[in-house]
Amino acid sequence: MGEPDEAPVSGASRILRFGENTVYALAGVLLVATSVAVLAVVGYHLASDLDDGVETAAISALDGLLLVFILLELLAGVRATMVERKLVAEPFLIIGIIASIKEIIVIALKTEGDRGSQQSFDNAMTEMAVLGALVVLLAVASFLVRRKEREPTEG
């Protein structure tokens, strides 16, 4: 006789698995389409915004390109979830790191070009410090997840 884990899958379970895979696949297709659309818009704006200054165009392009990287990491998370048949944490931790770094870069570039008040500068520095701490925490979490995955399974 077979092990309990080898029990035949019921019809309802197969239907639900098909539905789950269909939703994941549609989410993946939408992420790819969104990535391509954002990339096209970034390219268009980079070319058209050069009249406003290279620095402004570069900041806008960098912001858009980092968004594309976030979308692609989300796609990797969806793919990993489909392959592993469970939610995989690491791609989402990487998304958090990329998103935090994106905001740090954008804040730094905007603050450099903005000659505002001391209060706005202090607020920007506080936000960058919090985001920097978040990057460190997410990196530690990612390291711990990788280390846990390398450990032999219990049981």
Side-chain angles (χ1 to χ4, degrees):
M1 290 233 153
E3 296 290 321
D5 292 339
E6 298 174 9
V9 179
S10 72
S13 179
R14 274 189 244 131
I15 291 169
L16 290 175
R17 182 177 295 156
F18 175 78
E20 179 183 10
N21 287 337
T22 301
V23 170
Y24 278 132
L26 289 173
V29 167
L30 287 175
L31 285 168
V32 168
T34 304
S35 298
V36 169
V38 169
L39 196 56
V41 169
V42 165
Y44 172 77
H45 282 292
L46 181 60
S48 65
D49 290 348
L50 285 175
D51 293 338
D52 297 336
V54 174
E55 186 176 331
T56 304
I59 291 171
S60 178
L62 182 62
D63 192 28
L65 289 173
L66 289 170
L67 178 60
V68 170
F69 289 138
I70 291 169
L71 291 168
L72 293 176
E73 278 302 319
L74 281 170
L75 180 61
V78 168
R79 278 191 8 222
T81 300
M82 287 181 75
V83 169
E84 298 286 329
R85 306 296 310 158
K86 64 180 181 177
L87 187 60
V88 181
E90 189 173 9
F92 298 101
L93 293 172
I94 293 171
I95 291 166
I97 291 170
I98 294 171
S100 298
I101 290 171
K102 170 190 171 292
E103 287 304 310
I104 289 170
I105 292 169
V106 170
I107 291 168
L109 292 174
K110 285 183 180 177
T111 302
E112 180 184 340
D114 182 24
R115 303 290 180 221
S117 69
Q118 182 64 34
Q119 181 64 37
S120 66
F121 178 79
D122 290 344
N123 289 344
M125 292 303 110
T126 302
E127 190 173 354
M128 287 174 59
V130 169
L131 288 167
L134 182 60
V135 168
V136 171
L137 289 172
L138 289 170
V140 168
S142 181
F143 171 76
L144 293 173
V145 165
R146 281 187 181 190
R147 197 169 115 192
K148 177 71 175 150
E149 288 174 355
R150 289 187 188 129
E151 290 179 2
T153 57
E154 297 177 22

